[in-house]
Amino acid sequence: MAQQNNPVLPRGVTQATFEKALEAFRALLGEENVLAQPSQLTPYSKVMMSVENDAHAPSAALTVSSVEQVQGVVRICNEHKIPIWPISTGRNFGYGSAAPVQRGQVILDLKKMNRILKVDPDMCYALVEPGVTYQQLYDYIEENNLPLMLSFPAPSAIASPLGNIMDRGVGYTPYGEHFMMQCGMEVVLANGDIYRTGMGGVKGSNTWQIFKWGFGPTLDGMFTQANYGIVTKIGFWLMPKPPVFKPFEVIFENEEDIVDIVEMLRPLRISGTIPNSVVIANVLWEAGSANVRRQTYTTESGHTPDEILKKIQRDTGMGAWNLYAALYGTQEQVDADWKIVSEAFKRLGKGRIVTQEEAGDKQPFKYRAQLMSGVPNLQEFGLYNWRGGGGSMWFAPVSEARGSECEKQARLAKRILHKHGLDYVAEFIVGPRDMHHVVDVLFDRTNPEETARADACFNELLDEFEKEGYAVYRVNTRFQERVARSYGTVKRDVEHAIKRALDPNNILAPGRSGIDLHTYNKV
Ligand SMILES: Cc1cc2nc3c(=O)[nH]c(=O)nc-3n(C[C@H](O)[C@H](O)[C@H](O)COP(=O)(O)OP(=O)(O)OC[C@H]3O[C@@H](n4cnc5c(N)ncnc54)[C@H](O)[C@@H]3O)c2cc1C
């Protein structure tokens, strides 16, 4: 098929070289798997960040079906110095979606590699390819009546375990720290070698998904939020389905309650009495998720005033903070834990407990309970109806699980967002010792003035939090270089030394997490 001249080119690559590379990709993958027409690239081009889609436009996208094809692609990329951006299902909404970190990179779309390679119900693990979705795995488990439970992020149905683990994402069950539950990966390196982590290099081993550490250096983490390889298989542990699951919510009236909530919760999390990743969502997160539309409450373009927040609380019964957690186990275990947990809440003297029986099918309780019990849904996308206009960037600083720290972060974030006329839509996801403080910076991307405000706001959030010693655990592609700087030069030097050793032609996702041989030391 005659190729129209594509205005988007990879950095430093001429049109003629790019055409040669495309020819080689077509010979390897077939015409239909090399997408270079603007209309074919539309699904890969839409971002939700505070810049034009054009800033992150891909030059082409390749769809591959096998590890051998991935090896063939890196060979061609090395020959023509073509940068590629691997995605699994490409649903990294609010962190860059499917689009590459730098304009002109070629997307390597792995979603056709979607085989569930193994689910072991005795050892409780799965081994999957990049394109496997959580829904696919959930259906497999249900159809085969396996006593296993999944943990996934809120866009569960359409996202992938491999992609989520690559970005060190989180879920809501006791297995909610997803990278912690990862065990064994297969990686195509930039030189085309296939590297297996952990026990995976041992011929005939049956412990690749059983024992993480293998022998010598353990390198799995090096491939997450990074650009040192293309992961083509991933293993992860699955939780045995408990006989009893008891979700509950506790509704708190006042913003200041966050201090007492976290202090009360931490010992219960560290001891494992509450085993799952607890969520403490603020009123606007609740309202958005339950599809309460902002227009119902205010038509002003700035942030939602506090009196309106109180009115939403009165009208809907939502709290200023809404805590969701669950207990898992046999009836005896759950009864014993419930006694400890409910008495701790009673001693606190604030907060209204809501159980499954009381909540019935009400949202957002229903979808929260589903997430905590491994049932996929897409309810949280309702957040985008709160403001409208499709702009969303997650600001996700890590906090100590200490009440005073969480309050300090909440106040700081709210002040900065309000200064820029935006809402504080936030939740804390409670690990035993840390909190992922996740703020959805929502804005109307169809409005250039508001988009510019969101951009300035995000920069100020990063700057002001850094002054207090806080940094984010993950960020969208527009701000990855900026965030890399918060973590110091020694770390960056090491990362670039590894990049030079493993990928001297800088073909794998240059710019990912600020790692780019072309620009580093030039800034
Ligand atoms: C309403 C809403 C709620 C959300 N809630 C959550 C949540 O609860 N928890 C959470 O973690 N996220 C959440 N997200 C963010 C995001 O949607 C999920 O993390 C999602 O799982 C990521 O998309 P994906 O699985 O398709 O991964 P992908 O987009 O395919 O991959 C993510 C990134 O990993 C890298 N990558 C992917 N595949 C490979 C590979 N094979 N080799 C090397 N690198 C690779 C790429 O850099 C890619 O950008 C939410 C988003 C929305 C809109």
Side-chain angles (χ1 to χ4, degrees):
M1 185 174 74
Q3 198 65 47
Q4 83 172 35
N5 274 7
N6 195 318
V8 181
L9 287 172
R11 181 181 60 194
V13 174
T14 64
Q15 179 82 41
T17 304
F18 190 53
E19 288 301 332
K20 270 192 211 150
L22 288 180
E23 270 317 305
F25 290 138
R26 282 189 205 106
L28 174 74
L29 306 172
E31 188 93 32
E32 66 285 7
N33 291 309
V34 181
L35 316 174
Q37 301 291 344
S39 61
Q40 294 175 310
L41 296 176
T42 310
Y44 300 100
S45 305
K46 192 164 166 24
V47 295
M48 306 174 87
M49 301 179 292
S50 50
V51 283
E52 294 293 325
N53 291 347
D54 216 35
H56 294 268
S59 53
L62 312 173
T63 54
V64 291
S65 309
S66 69
V67 175
E68 294 72 27
Q69 287 189 345
V70 175
Q71 291 175 292
V73 166
V74 295
R75 188 177 35 74
I76 295 166
C77 289
N78 274 310
E79 191 180 335
H80 298 286
K81 309 283 185 293
I82 305 288
I84 34 170
W85 178 257
I87 56 168
S88 290
T89 42
R91 312 289 192 177
N92 214 2
F93 304 120
Y95 289 113
S97 308
V101 64
Q102 291 171 1
R103 179 180 157 87
Q105 294 180 341
V106 173
I107 289 178
L108 180 63
D109 183 343
L110 301 160
K111 72 168 149 331
K112 286 186 180 168
M113 295 174 67
N114 62 355
R115 287 176 306 158
I116 297 171
L117 298 166
K118 187 162 183 184
V119 177
D120 189 318
D122 303 321
M123 294 295 154
C124 300
Y125 69 74
L127 178 68
V128 301
E129 292 187 325
V132 170
T133 62
Y134 286 107
Q135 182 73 51
Q136 192 183 339
L137 197 50
Y138 176 80
D139 292 344
Y140 179 92
I141 289 170
E142 289 295 296
E143 279 157 22
N144 291 284
N145 205 14
L146 303 178
L148 298 168
M149 200 173 89
L150 287 177
S151 177
F152 36 59
S156 43
I158 54 178
S160 58
L162 197 150
N164 188 266
I165 294 171
M166 282 301 105
D167 227 16
R168 295 204 291 270
V170 293
Y172 303 92
T173 73
Y175 281 33
E177 183 63 271
H178 293 157
F179 178 56
M180 202 132 84
M181 297 302 156
Q182 177 268 332
C183 190
M185 48 173 89
E186 178 186 90
V187 190
V188 174
L189 300 175
N191 66 0
D193 281 353
I194 296 173
Y195 169 58
R196 289 186 168 190
T197 65
M199 304 301 290
V202 179
K203 270 208 178 83
S205 166
N206 60 2
T207 52
W208 191 25
Q209 274 60 64
I210 301 290
F211 182 65
K212 277 168 177 272
W213 317 119
F215 170 78
T218 293
L219 303 183
D220 300 60
M222 202 181 88
F223 296 101
T224 63
Q225 292 194 5
N227 52 13
Y228 302 132
I230 300 160
V231 178
T232 46
K233 292 182 183 60
I234 203 151
F236 52 97
W237 296 331
L238 299 171
M239 184 172 153
K241 203 173 199 156
V244 177
F245 163 69
K246 183 177 178 66
F248 61 95
E249 179 186 4
V250 191
I251 298 171
F252 293 89
E253 289 305 312
N254 302 307
E255 277 184 63
E256 310 77 69
D257 292 342
I258 191 71
V259 178
D260 293 335
I261 302 170
V262 174
E263 286 303 303
M264 190 261 333
L265 210 54
R266 187 182 53 249
L268 294 173
R269 284 289 289 121
I270 290 185
S271 67
T273 311
I274 295 180
N276 72 318
S277 308
V278 176
V279 167
I280 311 169
N282 82 348
V283 59
L284 286 182
W285 193 296
E286 289 286 274
S289 301
N291 277 317
V292 175
R293 282 184 167 270
R294 185 169 189 274
Q295 289 83 338
T296 316
Y297 285 94
T298 171
T299 52
E300 290 166 29
S301 61
H303 72 264
T304 311
D306 280 358
E307 29 325 341
I308 300 287
L309 299 184
K310 283 287 171 203
K311 181 166 167 41
I312 297 174
Q313 284 186 235
R314 282 195 303 276
D315 290 355
T316 60
M318 292 168 182
W321 293 108
N322 307 270
L323 179 153
Y324 294 92
L327 302 177
Y328 306 74
T330 63
Q331 191 64 59
E332 291 83 348
Q333 286 170 322
V334 168
D335 287 346
D337 288 341
W338 181 241
K339 191 163 179 300
I340 299 169
V341 169
S342 54
E343 280 173 5
F345 279 107
K346 271 187 209 127
R347 275 199 302 281
L348 191 65
K350 53 178 90 163
R352 184 164 61 81
I353 299 180
V354 180
T355 59
Q356 174 74 79
E357 295 69 36
E358 292 160 275
D361 258 359
K362 210 171 156 214
Q363 293 290 12
F365 188 103
K366 182 179 175 184
Y367 96 91
R368 289 286 185 189
Q370 287 178 330
L371 289 181
M372 292 189 291
S373 62
V375 179
N377 65 76
L378 294 175
Q379 178 70 22
E380 206 157 86
F381 280 85
L383 278 174
Y384 297 137
N385 297 330
W386 175 248
R387 198 163 192 113
S392 165
M393 297 187 287
W394 305 106
F395 174 67
V398 175
S399 165
E400 248 189 323
R402 195 183 295 281
S404 55
E405 280 295 291
C406 294
E407 194 200 25
K408 183 177 160 192
Q409 285 205 359
R411 275 187 197 282
L412 185 57
K414 187 172 173 181
R415 180 177 63 68
I416 295 166
L417 282 148
H418 283 190
K419 179 180 154 192
H420 293 276
L422 300 172
D423 280 325
Y424 176 59
V425 181
E427 66 177 14
F428 287 95
I429 306 177
V430 189
R433 293 167 183 80
D434 76 285
M435 296 268 192
H436 291 40
H437 179 193
V438 181
V439 181
D440 198 352
V441 179
L442 291 167
F443 58 100
D444 180 356
R445 232 178 139 248
T446 64
N447 175 343
E449 186 275 329
E450 188 162 309
T451 303
R453 259 191 287 131
D455 199 64
C457 178
F458 208 90
N459 272 302
E460 189 169 337
L461 284 165
L462 291 169
D463 291 345
E464 293 305 310
F465 271 66
E466 187 172 337
K467 283 182 197 156
E468 300 296 327
Y470 303 135
V472 300
Y473 89 101
R474 180 182 178 189
V475 79
N476 67 67
T477 46
R478 170 157 175 70
F479 294 97
Q480 289 186 359
E481 165 64 30
R482 161 70 187 82
V483 169
R485 278 185 253 135
S486 305
Y487 280 82
T489 50
V490 175
K491 180 172 182 290
R492 300 201 75 189
D493 286 347
V494 170
E495 288 165 355
H496 283 82
I498 297 171
K499 184 72 174 164
R500 267 188 295 278
L502 290 184
D503 181 15
N505 289 328
N506 206 27
I507 57 160
L508 299 184
R512 173 71 155 120
S513 298
I515 305 166
D516 182 357
L517 295 180
H518 183 75
T519 54
Y520 191 56
N521 290 336
K522 293 186 185 168
V523 287

